[in-house]
Amino acid sequence: MAMHLTGLKTGSRVVVTGAMGWVGSRTLGRLATEHEVKGLDLEPGAAGGCVVDEIDLIEYEAVREALEGAEGVVHLAIASRRALTHLDEHDYAAVEIQSNVLGTRNVFEAAAEAGVKRMVYFSSLTIQLGEPQRRWIGPGAPLRPSNPYAVTKLYGEQLAWLYANQGRLSTVAWRLGQPYPVEHFSLEHMRDPEERACGITAGDIARGMLAGLSADLSVFEAPEREAGPAEELPCGGRPGFTPGFAVANLVSASDTGDGHGYDLSVARRLGYEPAECFTAEGPVPVQSLRKAIR
């Protein structure tokens, strides 16, 4: 089965994992304005007017059945520390590995077997935030996971590259910033330029989802660069391209300029344009600002 490089058309069938989480519950409705959407989660219910079916991603056959007929998959599901506060450190680590590693593997394999045309995988900026100097995360930023969760997200990126390199599944991997607002990332944090530079609103996350599903990866070519040690890594520490695979930062705009922040040049090539900008007073519409941002 040939891998699809062109993006999905409006009205495609899209399955979203982790649909009842913070991101999923706030974006499914927007996604459903352009596609036929079904959610999957450990907790069944409804979000954004979409049905969310119960599933445990550890059970491969259940995942394979749930993805039958899907044209696109948005993989959000993770082990949530906030939902598992009753577990001690070691028990939580076991659940995190099961969900973020084995569960992610099952989603990729099931998607490839089901003939899914496009995967949108939500990685995390934390895969680079272990770097001591991180005032500006550009295309050449090294991979420095800041915690075990970040290591599991990097695994997902490498898995996405592997499936694309094998010609089995095309993926756009977004290195997601800090969703806003949540209890540990609120208005008081906006006074710190480094903090607000990594923020992203639910609206901009939804724009990233839609861009990832519709991006035409056939138009990209590998960037020219000198061979070196970084070439040994599939991602090379850089948001770059291999046929059927793209990885890029996903944040809202900010008023911090190049002093603090995350390069969005690759994201824009994928069709993402932030509509909201973080300031010291919180997010505002981009068009309301007169000065150029990022």
Side-chain angles (χ1 to χ4, degrees):
M1 183 180 297
M3 179 172 62
H4 296 270
L5 297 179
T6 54
L8 300 187
K9 297 179 180 179
T10 300
S12 296
R13 288 165 293 180
V14 175
V15 174
V16 180
T17 70
M20 296 295 286
W22 192 98
V23 172
S25 62
R26 289 164 175 78
T27 55
L28 255 65
R30 176 67 181 88
L31 196 60
T33 64
E34 298 194 23
H35 297 291
E36 178 187 330
V37 178
K38 180 179 74 172
L40 300 175
D41 204 293
L42 278 170
E43 177 185 349
C50 303
V51 173
V52 178
D53 291 338
E54 182 178 3
I55 197 169
D56 186 344
L57 298 182
I58 304 306
E59 299 174 4
Y60 177 76
E61 291 302 326
V63 179
R64 176 65 180 83
E65 182 179 352
L67 299 191
E68 186 64 39
E71 297 171 89
V73 173
V74 177
H75 184 40
L76 293 170
I78 58 170
S80 171
R81 194 63 176 112
R82 290 189 294 277
L84 298 169
T85 55
H86 60 287
L87 297 180
D88 65 24
E89 179 182 352
H90 298 293
D91 287 342
Y92 175 73
V95 173
E96 185 173 53
I97 291 296
Q98 275 199 320
S99 177
N100 298 7
V101 175
L102 179 56
T104 294
R105 179 268 174 195
N106 285 347
V107 171
F108 271 92
E109 179 63 20
E113 287 293 315
V116 167
K117 297 178 180 179
R118 174 61 50 81
M119 173 79 75
V120 175
Y121 169 69
F122 273 80
S123 182
S124 170
L125 289 180
T126 58
I127 69 167
Q128 294 172 315
L129 298 190
E131 179 70 14
Q133 302 298 323
R134 58 180 180 90
R135 292 172 64 89
W136 177 255
I137 303 297
L143 302 177
R144 298 288 187 269
S146 59
N147 51 40
Y149 164 78
V151 174
T152 68
K153 300 287 22 183
L154 181 55
Y155 163 82
E157 284 191 17
Q158 302 291 287
L159 194 64
W161 178 89
L162 177 64
Y163 276 79
N165 192 54
Q166 293 175 342
R168 300 185 66 200
L169 180 64
S170 72
T171 297
V172 170
W174 290 121
R175 290 174 179 169
L176 182 65
Q178 173 59 61
Y180 173 94
V182 293
E183 59 221 24
H184 60 279
F185 190 67
S186 57
L187 189 58
E188 64 184 82
H189 297 92
M190 297 300 101
R191 291 190 291 270
D192 184 342
E194 188 170 292
E195 292 277 0
R196 69 177 182 267
C198 73
I200 185 166
T201 64
D204 278 342
I205 295 174
R207 292 178 185 91
M209 284 184 185
L210 290 167
L213 289 169
S214 63
D216 185 355
L217 300 185
S218 67
V219 303
F220 290 107
E221 296 180 357
E224 294 183 3
R225 56 178 181 259
E226 294 182 3
E231 296 294 343
E232 297 174 6
L233 287 172
C235 294
R238 306 175 176 89
F241 302 97
T242 205
F245 173 70
V247 56
N249 300 327
L250 186 67
V251 293
S252 291
S254 75
D255 64 358
T256 56
D258 290 355
H260 300 274
Y262 303 86
D263 181 83
L264 289 178
S265 59
V266 178
R268 288 187 166 103
R269 290 187 65 194
L270 291 167
Y272 169 72
E273 190 63 45
E276 296 175 88
C277 177
F278 280 89
T279 70
E281 289 73 41
V284 299
V286 166
Q287 64 265 28
S288 70
L289 300 180
R290 294 182 179 179
K291 62 181 180 179
I293 53 175
R294 243 204 307 281

